[in-house]
Amino acid sequence: MDYSRIFEKFNEKNKGELVFQQAVKEVLDDIEPALEDHPRYVQDKIAERIVQPDRVIMFRVAWVDDKGEVRVNKGYRVQFNNAIGPYKGGLRFHPSVNLGIIKFLGFEQIFKNALTTLPMGGGKGGSDFDPKGKSDMEVMKFCHSFMRELYRHIGPDIDVPAGDIGVGAREIGYLFGYYKKIVNEHTGTLTGKGREYGGSHIRPEATGYGLVYFAREMLSTKGLDLKGKTVAISGAGNVAQFAAEKVIQLGGRVITLCDSQSTVVDKEGLDREKLEYVMDLKNKQRGRIKEYADRYKAECIMGKNTWESIKEVGIKIDIALPCATQNEIDSECAEALVKNGAICVAEGANMPSTEGAVKVYRENNILYGPGKATNAGGVAVSGLEMSQNRLGVVWAREEVDEKLYLIMKNIHDTALLAAKRYSNEGDYLAGANIAGFLKVAEAMHAQGIV
Ligand code: NDP
Ligand code: 2IT
């Protein structure tokens, strides 16, 4: 079987969609030994089929801004694969969003969701709408217009969207309110809802907490823990905030955060009070992270993300938690991480490391946890939110947190086991790709050629 042919053909058919190509290559590179071991998947052309979305929905989103001017954005929902459950995945609102980005995210989501062990297929959506600088009224009008089209394609057993970059509690509220209004049903068709109207405890915290639970498991395989470790985090949004909270709770020292404008470096480390300030600044005032530096006399590096800052000024760290966006760490930043003492990189963002960066981690035996395993806590608790909505119950905070921890530990152990069987011991990336793929492949095989 010539696997490079599969990728070449895929590339020809998906020209210009570079991040989608990157995500697919990463998976195809790793699953070869697992495919060789399962001739039925080769015969069924599972690899060729899994890289093609079931369905791509694109639509116009027209809305009126506060000045009365008509605005037009693009809307997307990619329903990638529902072999193991309804399509499930977030919505991203960011000016950079295009079809290739949504396809890459939807593709990653298939394997991530499979790893959670919950019955969720893969999907993703979004818009090139930029919530930054918009009033609440404008965000509401946009969300309502977005849902005016999306509602007909989603449902609790069809496709269940949630948040991602630029889509948090406020946006989910507006999206859900409009959905409920037009279908006249109060069902769990979106997750990440407020707790007052069907949301789950721990969903806001889940991605960040889950990430740190996973990092702790990785460290424990080397007899290490988080206590006293210096941690660099990128981003200052949902994932970064709660990753920081859990690191602080477990005795680590968080010294960086960033946004798309600057990085702040606080050598003393964030504490509860400083983190509460960040949460208020970002989630309520919707301000810039450099205001943190002004308030706490921290260093502020303009125009650079956390990793470029570490490369530029040389900051000693033990653990790196990229929690901003795709390809934020390139091979040079990865080299700088190694040089500055990093022993572990665990990804809160989706595909934050370039192919070159991953190569550097592998060559330097860095404990490397890939996003589709390490950030699966968010969608896992979304799955738990769906379960609670279906049952009409509310689980206690402690119960959901315990379930989240067990899911993260299981993903960790599953990835390690698959890596040992089919790839190199300790290669979490290969392990996660293989274990996620095998589950979906078996479901696709069982369901025949559809
Ligand atoms: P948010 O919108 O809450 O926060 C994103 C943060 O990253 C912001 O601080 C943003 O800065 C920063 N950022 C975005 N782009 C860049 C950039 N190019 N350079 C530097 N900083 C940047 O999103 P989330 O925290 O929800 O998502 C972060 C990552 O985690 C994404 O990759 C997402 O796909 C992934 N993820 C999210 C999950 C969730 O449950 N929310 C679950 C699993 C993964 P600014 O405000 O200036 O744009
Ligand atoms: O990338 C992701 O896993 C998310 N943005 C969360 C998806 C979800 O459905 O909760």
Side-chain angles (χ1 to χ4, degrees):
M1 180 71 210
D2 182 1
Y3 295 97
S4 59
R5 267 303 297 150
I6 301 179
F7 185 63
E8 270 170 36
K9 210 162 152 199
F10 165 85
N11 265 358
E12 273 166 37
K13 301 236 175 233
N14 296 274
K15 279 207 179 81
E17 297 182 334
L18 299 182
V19 279
F20 182 36
Q21 292 177 354
Q22 182 185 340
V24 165
K25 179 168 190 299
E26 189 196 274
V27 171
L28 292 182
D29 278 352
D30 282 338
I31 60 172
E32 197 174 319
L35 276 174
E36 301 281 358
D37 201 30
H38 297 84
R40 60 184 183 278
Y41 302 159
V42 178
Q43 177 137 30
D44 282 0
K45 294 210 163 48
I46 302 279
E48 290 88 332
R49 284 161 58 206
I50 209 168
V51 299
Q52 178 117 333
D54 288 353
R55 193 171 300 105
V56 171
I57 300 153
M58 293 204 273
F59 49 99
R60 178 187 67 241
V61 188
W63 55 285
V64 181
D65 70 17
D66 287 348
K67 293 192 195 113
E69 203 167 302
V70 176
R71 302 283 201 106
V72 188
N73 287 101
K74 283 175 180 265
Y76 304 90
R77 186 73 184 168
V78 172
Q79 298 180 331
F80 221 116
N81 188 299
N82 66 353
I84 66 170
Y87 304 108
K88 178 83 195 90
L91 296 171
R92 178 176 291 191
F93 292 171
H94 193 272
S96 64
V97 162
N98 57 39
L99 184 58
I101 289 183
I102 300 298
K103 281 194 196 164
F104 124 64
L105 291 164
F107 181 72
E108 291 281 290
Q109 203 80 45
I110 305 171
F111 306 98
K112 184 197 302 193
N113 294 4
L115 286 168
T116 67
T117 71
L118 301 174
M120 300 182 289
K124 200 89 186 190
S127 174
D128 59 357
F129 172 74
D130 187 358
K132 240 181 256 143
K134 303 287 190 303
S135 69
D136 286 353
M137 185 61 78
E138 289 177 323
V139 171
M140 183 180 82
K141 283 187 189 156
F142 173 81
C143 288
H144 286 180
S145 184
F146 186 86
M147 191 50 88
R148 200 141 55 229
E149 174 58 35
L150 187 67
Y151 86 94
R152 69 187 86 245
H153 306 289
I154 60 177
D157 297 313
I158 302 169
D159 183 354
V160 181
D164 193 80
I165 292 180
V167 179
R170 173 182 62 170
E171 289 74 16
I172 293 293
Y174 295 148
L175 291 163
F176 183 78
Y178 201 80
Y179 178 81
K180 181 187 62 90
K181 183 80 186 169
I182 37 185
V183 300
N184 194 28
E185 264 180 19
H186 199 299
T187 55
T189 300
L190 286 137
T191 61
K193 299 183 291 297
R195 276 200 287 115
E196 306 73 24
Y197 60 95
S200 176
H201 278 288
I202 300 286
R203 178 61 189 90
E205 296 88 339
T207 313
Y209 280 18
L211 169 67
V212 178
Y213 293 152
F214 196 107
R216 188 173 58 172
E217 290 304 313
M218 290 199 294
L219 289 169
S220 78
T221 64
K222 307 281 174 206
L224 301 168
D225 68 20
L226 270 157
K227 224 178 166 71
K229 296 286 183 303
T230 302
V231 180
I233 296 181
S234 63
N238 172 265
V239 181
Q241 291 168 16
F242 288 103
E245 182 169 278
K246 188 51 81 180
V247 169
I248 295 167
Q249 276 173 19
L250 295 176
R253 193 166 58 104
V254 176
I255 60 160
T256 68
L257 290 172
C258 76
D259 61 19
S260 53
Q261 205 180 51
S262 69
T263 295
V264 293
V265 184
D266 182 347
K267 291 249 165 78
E268 280 175 15
L270 275 79
D271 57 19
R272 213 21 290 148
E273 187 221 300
K274 291 173 178 175
L275 187 59
E276 265 166 31
Y277 169 78
V278 172
M279 289 181 177
D280 185 74
L281 175 72
K282 283 291 173 187
N283 309 342
K284 298 212 175 93
Q285 300 171 46
R286 302 190 186 273
R288 312 305 303 162
I289 199 67
K290 74 170 167 34
E291 294 168 48
Y292 177 100
D294 301 339
R295 187 180 171 101
Y296 293 110
K297 312 264 172 295
E299 193 178 344
C300 181
I301 300 158
M302 295 303 294
K304 304 232 176 295
N305 71 21
T306 295
W307 322 112
E308 292 159 345
S309 303
I310 290 176
K311 185 176 76 177
E312 197 94 339
V313 298
I315 307 161
K316 291 277 167 219
I317 63 153
D318 301 307
I319 295 164
L321 304 179
C323 298
T325 194
Q326 65 273 2
N327 290 332
E328 55 177 297
I329 306 183
D330 63 13
S331 55
E332 287 181 13
C333 290
E335 299 275 8
L337 284 177
V338 174
K339 220 170 97 193
N340 282 283
I343 52 168
C344 172
V345 179
E347 298 179 337
N350 285 305
M351 207 170 70
S353 305
T354 63
E355 195 183 348
V358 173
K359 194 160 169 268
V360 173
Y361 307 149
R362 278 176 162 155
E363 282 167 1
N364 289 278
N365 289 321
I366 298 286
L367 278 173
Y368 166 56
K372 62 172 75 74
T374 45
N375 72 35
V379 76
V381 176
S382 278
L384 301 178
E385 183 172 330
M386 289 164 72
S387 307
Q388 292 170 79
N389 291 164
R390 284 190 176 116
L391 294 170
V393 297
V394 176
W395 294 333
R397 188 181 162 88
E398 296 69 30
E399 190 177 347
V400 180
D401 199 14
E402 175 69 10
K403 284 185 164 65
L404 169 63
Y405 165 69
L406 291 173
I407 289 170
M408 297 314 297
K409 173 150 178 42
N410 180 60
I411 297 174
H412 173 272
D413 296 351
T414 304
L416 263 193
L417 205 67
K420 191 168 177 186
R421 170 139 192 222
Y422 289 111
S423 181
N424 298 318
E425 203 160 343
D427 189 330
Y428 290 93
L429 175 58
N433 281 334
I434 291 164
F437 173 79
L438 285 177
K439 177 168 177 182
V440 182
E442 190 53 32
M444 288 173 73
H445 172 72
Q447 292 166 22
I449 310 302
V450 286

